[in-house]
Amino acid sequence: MDSLNSLIDGFGTALTPMNLLWAAIGVLLGTAIGVLPGIGPAMAVALLLPVTYGLDPTGAFIMFAGIYYGAMFGGSTTSILLNTPGESAAVVAAIEGNPMAKAGRGAQALAAAAIGHFAGGMIGTILLVVLAPTVASLAIGIGAPDYFAIMVLAFIAVTSVLGASRVRGIASLLIGLTIGLVGLDQMTGQQRLTFGSLHLADGVDVVIVAVGLFAIGEALWVAAHLRRSSGEPIPVGRPWLGRADLRRTWKPWLRGPVIGFPFGAIPAGGAEIPTFLSYVAEKRLSKHRDQFGKGAIEGVAGPEAAASASAAGTLVSMLTLGLPTTAVAAVMLAAFQQYGIQPGPLLFEREPELVWGLIASLFVGMVLLLALNLPLAPVWAKLLRIPRPYLYAGILFFAAVGAYAVGGESLDLVILLVIGLIGFGMRRYGLPVLPAVIGVILGPAAEQQLRRALQISDGSVSGLVNTPFSVTVYAIVALIVAWPLIARLVRRRRGDRNGTEDTRTVSGG
């Protein structure tokens, strides 16, 4: 009841004219920035930090929260329409959203993503209000073996459901893990795969990898095939979701937040893991499995709802523990410190107006985003009417700008081109791109957690399975790995049983 009263007070703060203005500016900036490939919410918040020096803390954080949610909305737009994720949480949207767009259903994919973000954000924020203390206490108890088990689950899940075969999925994952090794060893300080370059000592930024594999690889692939095809513009299609689409999407919209919110609250990769796991779950549960990879709307709705809910989960750990679980949370933590405020258990007592005003503004921001993005779905979808050569030239330009903005180094453009050529080669030989991106994002963190767990257990492998949580996760991993074999045996037994029954029927006849 105290939380509800505090939230009502928070709405009183969030609905003042100035704070409404900052929320609107935040969601508009966030959506615009999310649409641009390679410029994600973390970079946006970091760039705007100096601008907010003159603002009061409540207004500044309301705007930051709007940018965060808006960038996640905008990131799915280019992911769906151009197969070019605006930020890492939108990577999964490209798998089903882009085939939908190519089939003339880009507006429906965008609408499913927008409503999914709204549903996920609303449910996630309600859970933030109700469950913040509980989730925070659970996050404290999770150790290195548990983190490593979660990451293994993400690796196995994503290689099991994508691509023509598991072997190609694993090959793609290994490419990503290799790119993730570039840089200094976090434990020993040794250089790995840097070829003597000091610039590579910090590793290859995940933004450059994602933009290179998706945007540059896709542009090169399209350029290689433009001579064979006329490059006709793709039809936009009907702008709203029909009854059939709603029947297929309402359950994923509700399932996504259940997966996304808990993962946002623990430092295990932010929105990336829950979006992948949501995609896996929707593929397993769907009655239209044959459409996955060709444009299944469930594969857009569920992961996008999970991504938005994970953003609310991220705020749980940051506000109650001072624990940043994503890059955006880390930048926002720096912003708190800029104002002389320390997030943690006492924050709710010391700065109730700020905290509850920020939480209430999330509800306001989600309504503003839905009102902004849903009517614009057909407008965004008309991007596909731009002739292919001009469209992909623009993608290459923005991809290069985004990659250069990461570090301001010309070498980043060379790395971008090299990774783009790798992406082109992966498309040529049928390797799914997503496991490679997963390997780059989670590989270094998985290595660190593995080594930390082994150090704690003095090198004993049993240290990886010494908690109930890790044992449960590994049981799920074993089930995913063994499922194709189990399904094959079940089908064979059914076939044998049916054959025996047919023989009996013939004999009886």
Side-chain angles (χ1 to χ4, degrees):
M1 201 65 186
D2 289 340
S3 296
L4 184 60
N5 292 332
S6 300
L7 183 62
I8 292 169
D9 292 338
F11 274 110
T13 302
L15 294 175
T16 59
M18 280 309 296
N19 287 337
L20 274 175
L21 176 64
W22 295 129
I25 291 172
V27 297
L28 282 168
L29 283 174
T31 303
I33 288 165
V35 167
L36 295 176
I39 304 178
M43 191 182 299
V45 175
L47 290 172
L48 289 169
L49 265 178
V51 180
T52 60
Y53 283 146
L55 297 181
D56 69 288
T58 305
F61 285 103
I62 285 174
M63 187 170 78
F64 287 152
I67 291 169
Y68 189 9
Y69 276 81
M72 297 188 83
F73 260 77
S76 61
T77 300
T78 48
S79 213
I80 289 167
L81 297 182
L82 308 176
N83 202 26
T84 307
E87 47 99 26
S88 56
V91 167
V92 176
I95 302 170
E96 302 299 333
N98 191 245
M100 283 183 69
K102 289 179 178 177
R105 285 170 50 80
Q108 284 85 346
L110 287 170
I115 298 172
H117 272 293
F118 177 77
M122 283 294 184
I123 294 170
T125 309
I126 290 168
L127 291 173
L128 167 62
V129 173
V130 176
L131 300 176
T134 307
V135 175
S137 63
L138 287 173
I140 293 173
I142 291 179
D146 305 318
Y147 292 142
F148 181 68
I150 291 169
M151 292 171 189
V152 170
L153 173 60
F155 291 150
I156 296 298
V158 77
T159 54
S160 297
V161 300
L162 297 173
S165 70
R166 287 192 176 196
V167 173
R168 288 179 179 175
I170 292 169
S172 175
L173 178 65
L174 290 175
I175 290 172
L177 291 173
T178 304
I179 296 172
L181 285 174
V182 175
L184 294 178
D185 186 322
Q186 294 182 6
M187 297 284 188
T188 64
Q190 277 189 318
Q191 291 193 15
R192 301 187 298 193
L193 303 177
T194 59
F195 305 101
S197 170
L198 289 176
H199 180 74
L200 290 175
D202 291 331
V204 181
D205 193 280
V206 68
V207 169
I208 294 175
V209 176
V211 171
L213 289 177
F214 280 95
I216 307 297
E218 179 76 8
L220 293 176
W221 181 252
V222 169
H225 290 78
L226 271 179
R227 291 181 182 178
R228 302 181 192 174
S229 62
S230 60
E232 289 294 319
I234 299 167
V236 172
R238 192 166 48 84
W240 307 114
L241 296 175
R243 288 185 180 179
D245 289 328
L246 288 171
R247 278 196 296 269
R248 291 177 59 176
T249 50
W250 72 270
K251 288 182 181 177
W253 285 333
L254 296 178
R255 280 193 291 259
V258 175
I259 298 172
F261 183 80
F263 275 94
I266 59 175
E272 291 82 8
I273 292 180
T275 53
F276 303 138
L277 293 183
S278 175
Y279 179 81
V280 173
E282 295 308 328
K283 185 171 183 180
R284 296 288 185 199
L285 297 171
S286 176
K287 295 178 182 177
H288 306 89
R289 289 189 197 178
D290 56 316
Q291 293 184 20
F292 275 77
K294 303 172 186 174
I297 196 167
E298 299 95 328
V300 176
E304 292 302 289
S308 200
S310 76
T314 296
L315 293 177
V316 172
S317 294
M318 190 192 71
L319 295 175
T320 60
L321 298 174
L323 177 67
T325 59
T326 64
V328 181
V331 177
M332 288 182 75
L333 184 62
F336 271 107
Q337 292 169 350
Q338 166 188 301
Y339 286 102
I341 300 169
Q342 183 57 49
L346 298 177
L347 181 66
F348 284 77
E349 295 178 14
R350 292 176 178 170
E351 301 284 348
E353 183 180 348
L354 168 62
V355 174
W356 290 106
L358 173 62
I359 292 172
S361 75
L362 299 179
F363 290 103
V364 176
M366 297 311 300
V367 174
L368 289 174
L369 281 168
L370 189 66
L372 176 71
N373 281 272
L374 205 55
L376 288 178
V379 179
W380 289 122
K382 285 180 182 176
L383 281 173
L384 292 169
R385 291 194 178 276
I386 300 171
R388 304 275 101 181
Y390 302 131
L391 184 61
Y392 282 93
I395 291 173
L396 287 174
F397 172 76
F398 283 114
V401 169
Y404 187 77
V406 170
E409 295 282 346
S410 55
L411 183 60
D412 286 335
L413 297 177
V414 178
I415 296 169
L416 180 72
L417 178 60
V418 171
I419 292 174
L421 291 171
I422 293 172
F424 174 79
M426 291 173 70
R427 284 168 173 79
R428 169 65 182 82
Y429 293 104
L431 271 65
V433 176
L434 187 57
V437 179
I438 295 291
V440 176
I441 293 171
L442 298 183
E447 179 193 10
Q448 189 176 5
Q449 298 297 346
L450 170 64
R451 292 166 76 170
R452 191 172 292 167
L454 291 174
Q455 282 180 338
I456 293 170
S457 63
D458 290 329
S460 173
V461 180
S462 62
L464 299 176
V465 287
N466 59 359
T467 65
F469 186 89
S470 61
V471 171
T472 304
V473 173
Y474 285 125
I476 296 170
V477 169
L479 182 63
I480 292 173
V481 171
W483 181 254
L485 179 62
I486 295 169
R488 197 179 304 159
L489 290 172
V490 170
R491 282 196 299 268
R492 188 178 297 173
R493 282 192 176 183
R494 284 179 181 171
D496 292 344
R497 193 177 300 165
N498 291 337
T500 306
E501 288 176 359
D502 291 343
T503 306
R504 288 175 181 171
T505 304
V506 171
S507 302

